[in-house]
């Protein structure tokens, strides 16, 4: 008896199917881990997100991102004492650890680059993997973030807080 061997003549090779499935899975995992800047409602201040008002006071720290340098961010009265506000468009978070003492930090988490979204209970919070940072110096308070948030230079003049140029 003669038996015919089975050799498919159409369709992709098994190796091609496995490689494509692996690439698709990798792409899905990377997309799930990536941050999104679409949600601009991460502030805990009284002004609506994107509002140009926040509390002003003593100077800020140097370094970090300065997108929109010189632009007024907020009025001093809009940054709660012991809290802060995230400015997603400028990628900056402004805090007021003590009355009249204003600090600013990059709003990009040092873990995987997600945007921080809120300031509560004395910490700046990243929702992606639950990293948290001090409102006083940007130091890591919890989560997987490996480094503190970089400081951003701001100026406070009267009741206005601006990014330094």
């Amino acid at each position: 008896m003669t038996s015919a061997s089975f050799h498919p003549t159409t369709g992709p090779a098994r190796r091609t199917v496995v490689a494509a499935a692996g690439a698709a899975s990798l792409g899905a995992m990377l997309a799930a881990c990536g941050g999104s800047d679409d949600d601009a409602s991460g502030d805990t201040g009284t002004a609506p997100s994107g509002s140009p008002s926040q509390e002003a006071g003593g100077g800020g720290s140097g370094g970090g991102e300065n997108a929109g340098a010189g632009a007024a961010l907020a009025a001093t009265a809009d940054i709660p004492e012991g809290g802060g506000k995230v400015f997603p468009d400028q990628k900056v978070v402004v805090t007021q650890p003590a009355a009249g003492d204003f600090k600013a930090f990059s709003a990009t988490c040092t873990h995987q680059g997600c945007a921080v979204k809120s300031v509560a209970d004395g910490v700046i919070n990243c929702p992606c993997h639950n990293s948290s940072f001090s409102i006083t110096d940007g130091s890591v308070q919890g989560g997987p973030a490996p480094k503190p948030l970089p400081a951003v230079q701001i100026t406070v003049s009267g009741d206005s807080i601006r990014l330094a140029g």
Side-chain angles (χ1 to χ4, degrees):
M1 263 194 191
T2 310
S3 64
S5 60
F6 179 71
H7 293 289
T9 57
T10 60
R14 180 177 179 192
R15 185 178 306 186
T16 304
V17 172
V18 171
S25 296
L26 179 61
M29 287 188 332
L30 291 175
C33 289
S36 172
D37 292 322
D38 293 344
D39 182 5
S41 62
D43 68 275
T44 58
T46 56
S49 181
S51 167
S53 77
Q54 277 195 338
E55 291 189 23
S61 314
E65 299 176 33
N66 285 328
L73 285 175
T76 56
D78 293 334
I79 307 297
E81 184 179 341
K85 182 175 179 179
V86 178
F87 295 88
D89 291 343
Q90 292 81 9
K91 297 183 177 152
V92 171
V93 57
V94 177
T95 65
Q96 185 180 191
D101 182 24
F102 296 88
K103 306 284 183 176
F105 305 97
S106 169
T108 302
C109 181
T110 58
H111 176 231
Q112 288 190 340
C114 293
V116 299
K117 296 288 183 190
S118 65
V119 182
D121 301 321
V123 294
I124 301 164
N125 300 294
C126 178
C128 292
H129 300 100
N130 297 318
S131 288
S132 58
F133 305 88
S134 168
I135 64 170
T136 303
D137 59 8
S139 62
V140 177
Q141 300 297 300
K147 298 183 294 190
L149 293 175
V152 172
Q153 182 67 40
I154 56 172
T155 59
V156 180
S157 178
D159 67 349
S160 179
I161 300 174
R162 295 180 179 273
L163 288 173

